[in-house]
């Protein structure tokens, strides 16, 4: 960490520079420095914590494309093992993933049930689900950089027995954040807006006779190009499709739902949406013939939508085969490397190939960074607990002017 300005320089700033010039300088500093500079004087503290300054700082963060990205990786306990604290890790984005910072998920979020939904400009969205929690179906917005969080008010679906899928997005025109909750059969939508701190229902209106019948709760929806995207099932008239057939999108600005087709062919059991070098992409992983056929090599197919929103622009870029390994896909870096959990298969004495789940904390399992063009792999050396999600992260001051401060 670089040392802050000398106290003499701070005094000169305060005594000889107009306050608006000082604020303009401060707004370009990193969050950690600004948190320290709140102690310089009451004027700086009140200025840094003001909503106008927070908004200005956020705009500068948003417009600075030269900033290195970081990645949050949520890990959690392995079931049937001694409890291990859930940890969120921020991996600073040089391409090697060598630099690592850790934020422990606060215990107030109920470590056993909290799942990281996503991250947008400094805020992390975590959702709880399950009746075992004293705060069942709670959703939190958390800024780990300023150690503050908001627990969202209960939505209409709280207390229902239906599953739900949560999405988290950012409205750039107003510097506002939105949480979208889909639940029920057929699917019902609710939207939370941070600025109003309230929920409201939103109609899912698609083509005539088309109804969204089911949303896959995992993986969590992708926020891209100002919209959230889910892999969805639907019915059309009397016909209900048994396989995922569409991408359901939600424009965060105008709060309208839309639909796009999935690419045709080679659809395997595990499916995810992600961003590949600036384009909407789709990955399908699994076994070519039988999902339970461990004698086969697992495969990954990757498509890219060259022209966003145009179904005919899907193009298959890669077909990757993994010999003697089982693969779980987590995400993609800004440079196009894939983040994968790779479990090596073991052959027993009788020749049968098995995946030993007890190896999840051993060297037989690795989170690797894979370049799909060269097939070069790098073991990231991340603690091998159960990983849920990988999302990009940028620090901000959002929630500094309010919300609940974490103790400890």
């Amino acid at each position: 960490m670089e040392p802050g300005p000398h106290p003499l320089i701070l005094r000169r700033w305060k005594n000889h520079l107009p306050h608006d010039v000082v604020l303009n300088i401060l707004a370009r500093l990193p969050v950690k420095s600004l948190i320290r500079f709140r102690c310089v004087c009451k004027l700086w503290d009140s200025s840094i914590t003001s909503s106008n300054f927070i908004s200005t700082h956020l705009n500068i963060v948003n417009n600075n494309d030269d900033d290195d990205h970081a990645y949050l990786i949520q890990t959690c306990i392995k079931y049937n093992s001694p409890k291990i604290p859930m940890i969120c890790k921020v991996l600073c984005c040089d391409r090697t993933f060598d630099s690592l910072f850790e934020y422990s998920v606060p215990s107030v979020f109920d470590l056993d049930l909290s799942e990281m939904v996503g991250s947008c400009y400094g805020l992390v969205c975590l959702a709880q689900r399950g009746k075992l929690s004293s705060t069942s179906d709670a959703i939190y917005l958390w800024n780990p950089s300023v150690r503050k969080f908001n627990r969202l008010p209960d939505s209409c679906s709280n207390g229902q027995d239906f599953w739900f899928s949560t999405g988290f997005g950012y409205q750039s025109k107003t510097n506002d954040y939105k949480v979208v909750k889909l639940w029920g059969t057929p699917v019902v939508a609710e939207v939370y807006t941070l600025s109003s701190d309230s929920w409201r229902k939103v109609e899912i209106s698609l083509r005539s006779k088309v109804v969204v019948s089911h949303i896959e709760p995992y993986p969590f929806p992708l926020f891209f190009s100002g919209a959230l995207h889910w892999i969805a099932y639907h019915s059309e008239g009397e016909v209900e499709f048994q396989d995922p057939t569409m991408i359901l999108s939600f424009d965060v600005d105008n709060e309208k739902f839309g639909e796009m087709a999935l690419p045709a062919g080679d659809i395997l059991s595990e499916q995810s949406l992600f961003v590949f070098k600036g384009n909407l992409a789709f990955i399908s992983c699994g076994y070519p013939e039988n999902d339970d056929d461990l004698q086969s090599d697992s495969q990954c197919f990757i498509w890219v939508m060259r022209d966003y929103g145009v179904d005919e622009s899907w193009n298959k870029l890669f077909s990757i085969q993994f010999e003697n390994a089982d693969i779980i896909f987590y995400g993609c870096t800004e440079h196009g490397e894939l983040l994968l959990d790779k479990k090596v298969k073991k052959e027993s004495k009788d020749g049968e190939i098995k995946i030993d789940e007890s190896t999840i904390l051993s060297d037989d399992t690795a989170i690797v960074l894979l370049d799909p063009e060269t097939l070069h792999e790098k073991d990231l050396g991340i603690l091998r607990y159960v990983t849920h999600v990988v999302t990009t992260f940028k620090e901000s001051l959002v929630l500094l002017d309010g919300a609940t401060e974490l103790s400890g």
Side-chain angles (χ1 to χ4, degrees):
M1 182 181 297
E2 295 183 1
H6 190 277
L8 180 59
I9 297 176
L10 295 179
R11 286 198 299 271
R12 287 176 179 172
W13 277 8
K14 186 174 68 171
N15 295 331
H16 299 289
L17 289 177
H19 187 57
D20 59 339
V21 176
V22 172
L23 290 182
N24 191 33
I25 296 171
L26 292 176
R28 285 159 172 75
L29 297 180
V31 170
K32 290 182 175 63
S33 298
L34 292 170
I35 296 301
R36 293 201 314 271
F37 292 165
R38 291 174 58 191
C39 301
V40 171
C41 63
K42 290 183 179 180
L43 178 60
W44 280 28
D45 178 55
S46 62
S47 297
I48 292 171
T49 56
S50 70
S51 58
N52 285 338
F53 183 87
I54 292 171
S55 179
T56 300
H57 184 269
L58 183 60
N59 279 325
I60 293 173
V61 170
N62 292 346
N63 293 327
N64 191 351
D65 294 330
D66 296 330
D67 282 352
D68 285 340
H69 283 74
Y71 299 94
L72 285 181
I73 297 181
Q74 181 189 4
T75 61
C76 69
I77 64 169
K78 178 179 180 292
Y79 297 112
N80 301 320
S81 70
K83 181 175 286 190
I84 303 170
M86 186 183 296
I87 299 173
C88 282
K89 295 181 178 180
V90 179
L91 306 178
C92 294
C93 181
D94 52 14
R95 290 190 65 168
T96 62
F97 272 63
D98 287 335
S99 183
L100 183 66
F101 296 93
E102 295 186 4
Y103 295 110
S104 294
V105 177
S107 59
V108 68
F109 298 150
D110 196 339
L111 301 185
D112 290 346
L113 297 170
S114 292
E115 297 170 313
M116 188 169 66
V117 173
S119 170
C120 290
Y121 299 108
L123 290 191
V124 179
C125 181
L126 296 105
Q128 292 175 354
R129 67 180 75 208
K131 300 301 179 182
L132 295 177
S133 172
S134 59
T135 54
S136 179
D137 292 356
I139 300 176
Y140 297 92
L141 295 183
W142 170 46
N143 186 333
S145 303
V146 303
R147 294 180 48 79
K148 288 199 172 186
F149 72 93
N150 266 354
R151 185 190 187 281
L152 275 55
D154 290 344
S155 69
C156 296
S157 67
N158 278 57
Q160 304 290 334
D161 293 327
F162 301 111
W163 55 266
F164 69 88
S165 175
T166 307
F168 182 47
Y170 173 75
Q171 186 174 6
S172 58
K173 291 181 180 179
T174 59
N175 278 349
D176 208 352
Y177 297 80
K178 293 184 180 181
V179 177
V180 181
K181 192 173 181 181
L182 303 184
W183 58 283
T185 306
V187 175
V188 177
E190 296 175 89
V191 178
Y192 167 88
T193 304
L194 179 60
S195 59
S196 65
D197 192 32
S198 62
W199 292 92
R200 64 187 181 282
K201 285 192 174 182
V202 177
E203 181 182 5
I204 302 178
S205 179
L206 303 175
R207 289 175 290 125
S208 176
K209 298 183 180 180
V210 171
V211 175
V212 180
S213 56
H214 182 67
I215 294 288
E216 288 288 0
Y218 299 102
F220 291 109
L222 171 72
F223 182 64
F224 169 71
S225 191
L228 288 161
H229 303 79
W230 290 262
I231 295 174
Y233 299 73
H234 80 284
S235 59
E236 191 165 351
E238 300 296 323
V239 180
E240 183 169 348
F241 296 91
Q242 300 302 311
D243 296 312
T245 52
M246 62 181 287
I247 298 171
L248 179 69
S249 64
F250 176 78
D251 189 303
V252 172
D253 282 331
N254 62 29
E255 299 191 348
K256 300 293 184 182
F257 283 91
E259 58 179 305
M260 291 179 279
L262 289 170
D266 297 325
I267 304 297
L268 302 177
S269 57
E270 301 296 328
Q271 303 161 22
S272 298
L273 298 170
F274 64 106
V275 179
F276 184 82
K277 296 185 177 180
N279 292 302
L280 179 65
F282 174 81
I283 188 169
S284 180
C285 298
Y287 296 99
E289 296 179 358
N290 187 328
D291 290 345
D292 298 322
D293 183 10
L294 295 180
Q295 302 290 338
S296 302
D297 292 327
S298 59
Q299 293 182 328
C300 281
F301 302 108
I302 300 173
W303 289 262
V304 164
M305 184 176 266
R306 297 292 190 186
D307 190 0
Y308 178 72
V310 178
D311 297 341
E312 294 76 16
S313 68
W314 280 116
N315 179 42
K316 186 192 286 188
L317 285 188
F318 303 105
S319 177
I320 306 170
Q321 184 168 304
F322 296 91
E323 296 183 3
N324 204 36
D326 195 42
I327 298 298
I328 300 174
F329 172 76
Y330 292 128
C332 183
T333 73
E334 62 174 329
H335 302 288
E337 296 102 340
L338 308 180
L339 285 157
L340 305 168
D341 186 292
K342 186 175 180 181
K343 294 185 179 69
V344 177
K345 299 177 187 177
K346 286 190 172 182
E347 185 173 347
S348 61
K349 294 180 181 178
D350 58 5
E352 183 179 1
I353 296 177
K354 296 181 179 180
I355 296 175
D356 184 0
E357 292 299 326
S358 67
T359 66
I360 196 163
L361 296 178
S362 76
D363 289 337
D364 297 313
T365 296
I367 296 180
V368 300
L369 197 64
L370 172 70
D371 186 326
E373 296 180 348
T374 65
L375 299 184
H376 174 74
E377 291 183 8
K378 177 184 178 180
D379 186 342
L380 298 185
I382 297 170
L383 293 178
R384 298 178 175 106
Y385 307 147
V386 180
T387 299
H388 281 308
V389 69
V390 178
T391 182
T392 56
F393 180 72
K394 281 190 175 185
E395 291 188 327
S396 77
L397 295 170
V398 178
L399 298 186
L400 184 61
D401 56 338
T404 304
E405 188 163 4
L406 293 164
S407 59

